[in-house]
Amino acid sequence: MTRRTLSRRTTLRAAGAALGLGAAGLASCAAPVAGSGSGRQLAYWNFFTGGDGERMVQLVNTYRDEAPEVDVTDTTLAWGAPYYTKLAMACAGGRAPDLATMHMSRLPPFAAHLLDPFDLDELAARGITPDQFPARVWDKAQHDGQLYALPLDTHPMVLYVNTDLCAQAGLTGADGQLAPITSAEQFLDAGRRLAEVTGSTGISWAAADGLGGWMMFWSVFRQLGGRLELPQGGTAQVDRDAVVQAFSFIRDLTDGTICSPTLDGPAAPAVFASQQAGLFVLGPWELITAETAGIPFTMTQFPALFGDQPLVRADSHSFVLPRQASVDPARRAAAYDMAASMLRNSLSWSGGGHVPALSAVSQSPEFRALQPQSNYAGAAEHVEYDPDAYFSGSGSQLMSFGGQQILSVSTRAQTPEQATDALISWIDQQLAIPSPV
C-alpha cells in the first residue's frame, strides 16, 4: 500500500483550482449507483447526464459484467464548476474516487498536484499503447512528460448540413453532399444563399453562448495562425492581428442574414432542427437533436476557412487517477481495468456524436460504417485545445469572458479592435494573479 501526506498547501491549491472554472451550465446530480459485486470496491465519478449519461451507464455495466468480483460505485455529479470543485477537494482531502472523468482542457492545474500519472507498462499490459491515439490528443494528455489522462474521445466543432436545403441553394455536388468550402468568403456566401432558401438565416450558430462562441473564435484564430501563450506572472504572448481578424470574421458572419447575432445555446440547434437554417455549427453532441427532428441532414468536418489546415477547437473526455492519501493496489488495478474496458467498448459511446480516441475503435469497420460520425473522424488529427492556464478550458473563465467579447462584436456593441484590447487586457489581469494551483 502506498501512503502520501496531503498538506494544507495541497488543500488550498485544490480550493484554488475551483476558482478557475468560471461560469458553466449545470446538469442534474444523480445518486450513486452501486454495483452488485462483493469483492474489491471501486469508486468512479463522472458528469454525464442525458443521452451521454445513458451511454456511460452502459459502459460501466459492461465492465461490471467483465469483472463481477469488483463492486463499482458509479456517481454522477453536476457538470462544470460543481464537479471540478468537488473533485479537487476530494483529491486534496485524500478521499478521492479511484477513477474519474475529466475534460482534457482542464488537465494542467489538476495534474500539477491532484492526480497520479498513468503507468504506461500497466496500460500496455491491458493492450493500451500510445500509438493507438491521435498524436494531438495523446500529446494533450501529457504533463511534465508523464501521462495524466487516458483519452476516451474527441469532440470537435463540426458542421451540420441540411442536405435538402443545401441542394436547393446549389451548394451540393453530384453525390448530393455539401461541395467543398475552402475559404471564409465561400462560407459567408453559402450562408447568404441558404438564407434566400429558408427566408430566415443561412447558418445557425450560437453567437450568444460562451461555448459555441468560443469554439468558433478559437478555430478561426488558430486557422489564421494565431498563437496565444499564457505565462503565469507574465503577459499574454498573443498575435493581436489574428485576434482582430477572427473578431472581424465573426462580425461579418453575424449580419442577421448569414447568422443571427443573438442565438443562445438552446436556440441554435432548435433553429437547425426546424429547418430555419441550412448549416449549423457546434459540437457533435447535437447529433441526437437533428436525428430526433427527422430532418434530412449529415455532418462533416468544419472546413479550413483560412489557410489549408482545417484546424478546429475541440476537447476530449478522459479518465484520470485522482490522488489519494493511500493507494490500494487492488483498487488501482481495477481502475486501470475499468478505464481500458470503457475505451475498448467506446463504439457505443460514439452514438452521442463523439469520436472514439482509441484507434482500434475509430478505425474499425463498425465505426467507419457509422454515419454521420465517421464523416468527421479525421478532425481528431486537427484538433486545437484551449491554451494551458488555470483559468482556461471548457466551462472556464476564459471561455466565459471570451464569449462576452464575441457577443459584443456580433451585436456591434464593440469593434473587433475594442474586443481584442478588452480580451488581452483581461488575460493579462488573470496572469498577474498568482496561480491558485
Side-chain angles (χ1 to χ4, degrees), residues 165-223:
L165 293 177
C166 284
Q168 293 177 48
L171 298 173
T172 55
D175 58 357
Q177 301 301 305
L178 183 69
I181 293 174
T182 59
S183 70
E185 186 49 50
Q186 270 191 300
F187 189 68
L188 298 174
D189 182 64
R192 297 184 192 101
R193 292 164 67 175
L194 283 165
E196 292 180 2
V197 172
T198 65
S200 180
T201 54
I203 302 171
S204 184
W205 169 56
D209 175 72
L211 174 59
W214 182 258
M215 292 182 83
M216 177 69 80
F217 170 82
W218 191 249
S219 300
V220 171
F221 175 72
R222 291 295 296 119
Q223 288 188 10

Side-chain angles (χ1 to χ4, degrees), residues 350-386:
S350 63
H354 307 299
V355 179
L358 193 69
S359 62
V361 180
S362 63
Q363 296 177 16
S364 68
E366 292 81 4
F367 180 78
R368 288 178 173 176
L370 199 60
Q371 293 291 328
Q373 291 92 322
S374 60
N375 293 348
Y376 53 86
E381 302 292 344
H382 301 281
V383 297
E384 291 294 323
Y385 294 96
D386 294 343

Side-chain angles (χ1 to χ4, degrees), residues 11-363:
T11 303
L12 292 174
R13 283 170 171 161
L19 297 178
L21 294 172
L26 301 182
S28 63
C29 182
V33 180
S36 58
S38 57
R40 288 178 288 169
Q41 302 292 310
L42 178 66
Y44 167 55
W45 286 11
N46 72 87
F47 45 70
F48 298 112
T49 57
D52 278 351
E54 294 174 6
R55 281 178 282 275
M56 180 51 66
V57 168
Q58 293 174 7
L59 290 177
V60 173
N61 286 339
T62 296
Y63 173 67
R64 287 190 174 112
D65 291 341
E66 294 173 355
E69 74 283 2
V70 179
D71 191 352
V72 180
T73 299
D74 177 23
T75 302
T76 303
L77 300 169
W79 186 92
Y83 177 81
Y84 286 116
T85 299
K86 290 180 180 179
L87 181 61
M89 297 308 295
C91 292
R95 299 180 300 277
D98 302 290
L99 188 69
T101 298
M102 178 170 287
H103 290 97
M104 291 215 306
S105 66
R106 302 318 310 257
L107 181 64
F110 277 82
H113 304 287
L114 301 173
L115 303 176
D116 285 337
F118 281 92
D119 185 320
L120 296 184
D121 291 337
E122 290 289 342
L123 290 175
R126 293 161 174 83
I128 307 297
T129 54
D131 60 317
Q132 295 177 295
F133 297 84
R136 287 176 180 265
V137 177
W138 186 259
D139 288 347
K140 183 63 177 178
Q142 314 287 318
H143 181 79
D144 285 345
Q146 292 185 289
L147 182 74
Y148 277 88
L150 192 58
L152 172 63
D153 64 40
T154 55
H155 41 280
M157 187 175 77
V158 296
L159 187 63
Y160 295 72
V161 180
N162 184 308
T163 50
D164 280 4
L165 293 177
C166 284
Q168 293 177 48
L171 298 173
T172 55
D175 58 357
Q177 301 301 305
L178 183 69
I181 293 174
T182 59
S183 70
E185 186 49 50
Q186 270 191 300
F187 189 68
L188 298 174
D189 182 64
R192 297 184 192 101
R193 292 164 67 175
L194 283 165
E196 292 180 2
V197 172
T198 65
S200 180
T201 54
I203 302 171
S204 184
W205 169 56
D209 175 72
L211 174 59
W214 182 258
M215 292 182 83
M216 177 69 80
F217 170 82
W218 191 249
S219 300
V220 171
F221 175 72
R222 291 295 296 119
Q223 288 188 10
L224 285 162
R227 306 289 299 181
L228 177 59
E229 303 291 339
L230 303 176
Q232 189 61 42
T235 57
Q237 306 301 303
V238 59
D239 183 344
R240 185 180 184 278
D241 288 344
V243 178
V244 172
Q245 288 181 66
F247 278 136
S248 296
F249 170 76
I250 286 172
R251 180 192 57 193
D252 294 342
L253 185 64
T254 52
D255 65 353
T257 298
I258 300 170
C259 287
S260 166
T262 57
L263 287 185
D264 62 14
V271 165
F272 182 73
S274 61
Q275 303 196 78
Q276 298 176 65
L279 296 173
F280 168 45
V281 183
L282 196 63
W285 51 82
E286 293 295 345
L287 165 66
I288 306 303
T289 300
E291 287 181 337
T292 301
I295 60 176
F297 85 102
T298 188
M299 296 159 68
T300 188
Q301 283 183 236
F302 187 76
L305 304 184
F306 300 92
D308 58 1
Q309 294 294 315
L311 304 179
V312 64
R313 195 273 177 185
D315 209 336
S316 294
H317 297 121
S318 66
F319 300 113
V320 296
L321 299 172
R323 184 161 294 181
Q324 300 172 326
S326 62
V327 177
D328 183 322
R331 294 178 68 136
R332 179 55 59 90
Y336 275 87
D337 291 341
M338 183 173 176
S341 170
M342 290 195 281
L343 261 62
R344 288 195 303 269
N345 293 289
S346 57
L347 181 66
S348 63
W349 184 246
S350 63
H354 307 299
V355 179
L358 193 69
S359 62
V361 180
S362 63
Q363 296 177 16

